[in-house]
Amino acid sequence: ETGVTQTPRHLVMGMTNKKSLKCEQHLGHNAMYWYKQSAKKPLELMFVYSLEERVENNSVPSRFSPECPNSSHLFLHLHTLQPEDSALYLCASSQNREEQLFFGSGTQLSVL
Amino acid sequence: GQNIDQPTEMTATEGAIVQINCTYQTSGFNGLFWYQQHAGEAPTFLSYNVLDGLEEKGRFSSFLSRSKGYSYLLLKELQMKDSASYLCAVVSWGKLQFGAGTQVVVTP
């Protein structure tokens, strides 16, 4: 148990589907993140929330839509994805920005 | 922008020592992390360096030279369970930027 839980662990979706990834942290942290991890590539930072306010959006396509209803929960809403969006999506949290990240186990996403 | 380089893969035998290098070019440096990631699992924290020098933690040690933009992770007395990807991450301007990771394969 890492203190950060993500669901689902695996997701297969068609390009016309709408789905959501969920992340919950039980560590009392102030910052939460979404990262994308593709094979042989660095982790790509997608979104950062600090105290429930989005502070970073790294030119991510609008087909990815984050939501942070409170400091413990983070969602990533997906719609009309492309096959190249297939990757491992990792949620993380930290006490404050620039501090140690605690990662969830990720959602392995396949877009058909 | 930032550039973080680490080798793609390294192979070593059980009981040996392996050194994983990480070089970076960045502005506003505020520290460097090393994470371990087993296949299909979450990355987990190994070490953090913000000042020059060596930090030792059991079988794992991490070194930083800020003037050279260089760090290494040293794994001693390798065990089979150490087979994993090792990620170097640089802290800069409020965020962590990751290298592509080094896959370490430990053979019997």
Side-chain angles (χ1 to χ4, degrees):
Chain A
E1 176 59 54
T2 65
V4 180
T5 55
Q6 280 186 250
T7 55
R9 287 296 305 272
H10 301 274
L11 179 62
V12 179
M13 59 188 289
M15 289 190 283
T16 58
N17 291 157
K18 287 184 181 182
K19 297 286 184 183
S20 295
L21 309 185
K22 179 183 175 181
C23 177
E24 183 175 359
Q25 58 101 355
H26 316 277
L27 301 169
H29 287 168
N30 294 320
M32 296 188 76
Y33 310 77
W34 281 115
Y35 280 88
K36 176 183 178 182
Q37 188 174 35
S38 303
K40 309 290 185 187
K41 289 186 177 179
L43 280 165
E44 298 173 45
L45 180 62
M46 299 175 72
F47 300 105
V48 181
Y49 278 82
S50 181
L51 297 172
E52 301 155 48
E53 179 182 342
R54 191 191 308 181
V55 296
E56 187 93 26
N57 175 359
N58 277 4
S59 302
V60 178
S62 60
R63 57 186 184 269
F64 294 91
S65 174
E67 179 190 359
C68 187
N70 56 60
S71 60
S72 299
H73 293 86
L74 186 64
F75 295 89
L76 188 62
H77 304 299
L78 317 170
H79 73 100
T80 58
L81 293 191
Q82 304 298 310
E84 60 264 29
D85 297 322
S86 297
L88 180 68
Y89 289 84
L90 288 162
C91 173
S93 71
S94 63
Q95 184 61 50
N96 296 297
R97 296 185 68 191
E98 296 196 352
E99 295 187 18
Q100 178 188 339
L101 294 174
F102 291 78
F103 286 90
S105 296
T107 296
Q108 186 65 55
L109 174 67
S110 297
V111 182
L112 305 179
Chain B
Q2 299 186 77
N3 199 26
I4 302 169
D5 291 313
Q6 47 182 133
T8 303
E9 185 170 318
M10 303 181 74
T11 301
T13 53
E14 211 172 356
I17 298 173
V18 70
Q19 177 174 314
I20 307 169
N21 296 324
C22 173
T23 58
Y24 61 89
Q25 295 169 313
T26 185
S27 59
F29 178 84
N30 269 337
L32 187 146
F33 286 93
W34 283 97
Y35 284 84
Q36 179 192 59
Q37 186 178 22
H38 286 100
E41 296 183 14
T44 55
F45 170 80
L46 287 178
S47 68
Y48 174 64
N49 294 70
V50 65
L51 299 176
D52 290 352
L54 186 68
E55 296 274 347
E56 296 187 81
K57 195 185 285 188
R59 294 188 299 113
F60 293 0
S61 304
S62 57
F63 172 83
L64 176 67
S65 170
R66 288 172 297 172
S67 62
K68 296 181 179 177
Y70 168 69
S71 173
Y72 68 73
L73 180 69
L74 194 69
L75 284 61
K76 293 182 273 190
E77 301 168 22
L78 277 174
Q79 301 177 9
M80 297 300 291
K81 67 179 181 179
D82 298 329
S83 291
S85 182
Y86 291 84
L87 311 176
C88 170
V90 173
V91 183
S92 176
W93 299 113
K95 54 189 176 183
L96 272 67
Q97 295 285 345
F98 284 83
T102 299
Q103 186 67 44
V104 170
V105 178
V106 181
T107 59

